[in-house]
Amino acid sequence: MLSHLFAPDTPVVESGSDEAVIATVVSVVDGDTIRVEIDGVNETVRYIGIDTPEPYRDGEPACYSKEATDKNRELVQGREVRLETDVENRDRFDRLLRYVYVDDVLVNDVLLRSGYAATLTIWPNTAKQRMFADSESAARQNDVGLWSECE
């Protein structure tokens, strides 16, 4: 298990989806987007329910974008991940929409709880909305990550 990468209070979240697939992360685009290989096919995956600061929008990296990207890379780069669906399969940019797990740890939630991401609820993909809101709230209350570094 990769527990050394996650904070001691990171909850283990069991996946309940029959739609989950195993993929290998080939690259990290930013804090909430990765490229994976699934059965020999490369796909871009956008994490459901979270939003990290953008490293490339408006010509200047957003506050804490490098840290979010680096943390995502530390958590998933080169690893096998389990990808779980919600309601929609793809977004308008043709990226797969997924909850991303390393072992039984939900990476989307780790990024929220550690202050690298904010919640981004887009209906109908709301299965983990309450858990994500609680994780963001805890990060804000503990003044961690972007909540302490960015205005």
Side-chain angles (χ1 to χ4, degrees):
M1 181 144 198
L2 300 170
S3 59
H4 68 282
L5 292 176
F6 304 101
D9 62 344
T10 300
V12 172
V13 180
E14 293 298 325
S15 168
S17 173
D18 293 332
E19 302 287 325
V21 298
I22 302 300
T24 301
V25 178
V26 295
S27 66
V28 172
V29 175
D30 60 24
D32 55 34
T33 308
I34 57 178
R35 290 193 180 95
V36 300
E37 183 178 312
I38 304 170
D39 296 329
V41 177
N42 286 328
E43 291 276 6
T44 301
V45 176
R46 174 66 167 80
Y47 293 17
I48 296 173
I50 71 169
D51 191 36
T52 60
E54 297 294 334
Y56 45 80
R57 187 175 290 165
D58 300 327
E60 293 282 328
C63 179
Y64 227 66
S65 63
K66 180 182 181 333
E67 293 85 349
T69 300
D70 289 348
K71 184 62 173 180
N72 194 24
R73 187 172 288 114
E74 175 188 344
L75 296 171
V76 302
Q77 179 67 49
R79 293 190 167 85
E80 279 196 346
V81 293
R82 189 174 71 244
L83 303 174
E84 180 183 309
T85 62
D86 201 323
V87 175
E88 295 176 318
N89 188 47
R90 293 186 183 268
D91 67 7
R92 63 189 174 117
F93 303 108
D94 202 36
R95 300 175 296 191
L96 294 174
L97 297 171
R98 298 293 185 268
Y99 299 106
V100 179
Y101 292 82
V102 172
D103 295 326
D104 288 327
V105 178
L106 179 56
V107 176
N108 312 47
D109 193 55
V110 169
L111 293 168
L112 282 166
R113 188 170 295 280
S114 304
Y116 293 97
T119 57
L120 177 64
T121 303
I122 299 176
W123 191 86
N125 303 304
T126 59
K128 299 184 185 327
Q129 176 182 2
R130 181 165 308 274
M131 177 179 63
F132 286 176
D134 290 346
S135 294
E136 179 184 309
S137 179
R140 284 176 177 261
Q141 288 174 353
N142 292 321
D143 203 28
V144 297
L146 65 90
W147 307 113
S148 68
E149 300 294 324
C150 307
E151 292 184 20

